[in-house]
Amino acid sequence: MSGIAAPLLEPLLSLFFPAHCAGCGRAVPDGINLCAACDESIEKIRPPRCEVCSQPYAGNVPTFTCPNCHGDAFHFECAIAVVRSSGVVREMVHRLKYGKEIWLGRVLAGWMNEGLDDPRLKNWTPDALVPVPLHPRRLREREFNQADILCHELSRICGIRVFSPLSRHRYTTTQTQLDRKGRRQNLRDAFILGKNGDVTNLNLLLVDDVLTTGSTLDACAAVLLEGGAASVRALTAARG
Ligand SMILES: [Zn+2]
Ligand SMILES: [Zn+2]
């Protein structure tokens, strides 16, 4: 490209492709992801929230662990998300996964990057970002793994490398008929460390799109710890 064409290209592109709000599609100034209305509608997760799973709590206590995280502890030390999976956020995750709007990964990764500032991740340096894998069949249907996209977009911002030691080998469709314990075991059996899966002594940050029950992240964390990982924490784009 000649030296004259390059400076002209950007304004020309924005003329044909003006910036749009990632939530509602309304035109926004360049460099802005969300219009003011969509931005205001986002439910941010602020303390007090469960130290383990980030479930917000309406009371006035500085730190607490929710009933879900008592006793039958998760294998990850904590799971962080800075926004709730509701409204515009929920739609964006849906559009990324099922509408193939890959570009939304960049916007979601922005919130994940905010999550890296959470006190629970501040004094802990992950060696790598680890995407929760999709089953190969689902990967063929969808053509991409949204957790991969989120990892790579986050990696571009924060510089932590992406490492994919996990693979998923069983299609877990019968989850609904199982109780909590059965669901956990079923999921746990679905993940294995792949051939390049040496995780010995690594501090790993598991990445997925949404945390709901935490059982998928738990299963992945269990496999990573069994494989010799030093510690596992989790970060998701949103929390259910
Ligand atoms: Zn909007
Ligand atoms: Zn909890």
Side-chain angles (χ1 to χ4, degrees):
M1 190 182 296
S2 84
I4 298 165
L8 287 176
L9 193 60
E10 214 160 275
L12 206 61
L13 278 175
S14 60
L15 193 67
F16 288 109
F17 305 102
H20 286 94
C21 169
C24 67
R26 202 177 296 164
V28 288
D30 259 349
I32 301 284
N33 287 329
L34 292 172
C35 71
C38 285
D39 195 49
E40 271 166 36
S41 75
I42 306 282
E43 280 185 82
K44 289 260 182 163
I45 298 174
R46 293 190 178 88
R49 37 104 188 98
C50 172
E51 282 298 297
V52 178
C53 73
S54 301
Q55 173 68 40
Y57 181 70
N60 195 14
V61 279
T63 55
F64 90 111
T65 305
C66 81
N68 261 340
C69 297
H70 274 305
D72 196 15
F74 291 115
H75 287 83
F76 52 79
E77 291 171 14
C78 52
I80 281 91
V82 302
V83 294
R84 294 306 301 246
S85 173
S86 63
V88 153
V89 174
R90 192 181 176 147
E91 283 165 24
M92 283 167 62
V93 171
H94 200 271
R95 282 160 55 205
L96 165 68
K97 280 164 82 167
Y98 306 110
K100 297 190 168 66
E101 291 189 60
I102 309 280
W103 68 282
L104 288 172
R106 183 175 46 81
V107 183
L108 295 167
W111 285 313
M112 300 177 85
N113 189 49
E114 280 180 41
L116 292 177
D117 282 334
D118 188 287
R120 293 166 291 173
L121 294 181
K122 259 317 201 193
N123 300 318
W124 177 84
T125 310
D127 294 298
L129 308 172
V130 174
V132 168
L134 271 188
H135 186 276
R137 194 201 302 175
R138 197 160 283 168
L139 188 61
R140 273 199 303 279
E141 290 162 4
R142 197 173 294 167
E143 295 166 11
F144 61 91
N145 175 4
Q146 70 279 1
D148 262 336
I149 308 274
L150 293 170
C151 270
H152 283 98
E153 291 293 348
L154 180 59
S155 178
R156 282 206 320 183
I157 306 172
C158 71
I160 304 167
R161 76 183 170 111
V162 181
F163 176 39
S164 308
L166 293 167
S167 56
R168 192 164 185 160
H169 65 100
R170 216 169 60 179
Y171 204 61
T172 40
T173 48
T174 52
Q175 288 289 87
T176 47
Q177 288 138 32
L178 299 166
D179 62 7
R180 194 177 179 206
K181 210 174 154 204
R183 266 204 312 273
R184 280 195 167 186
Q185 192 54 49
N186 189 34
L187 260 176
R188 180 108 167 242
D189 294 342
F191 296 98
I192 47 165
L193 278 178
K195 278 190 226 84
N196 303 320
D198 185 3
V199 296
T200 315
N201 293 329
L202 295 179
N203 297 310
L204 299 171
L205 185 59
L206 265 173
V207 168
D208 207 359
D209 52 350
V210 179
L211 173 116
T212 42
T213 64
S215 49
T216 303
L217 290 168
D218 177 67
C220 291
V223 172
L224 293 171
L225 289 173
E226 263 168 31
S231 66
V232 180
R233 298 183 188 184
L235 177 64
T236 59
R239 198 204 187 290

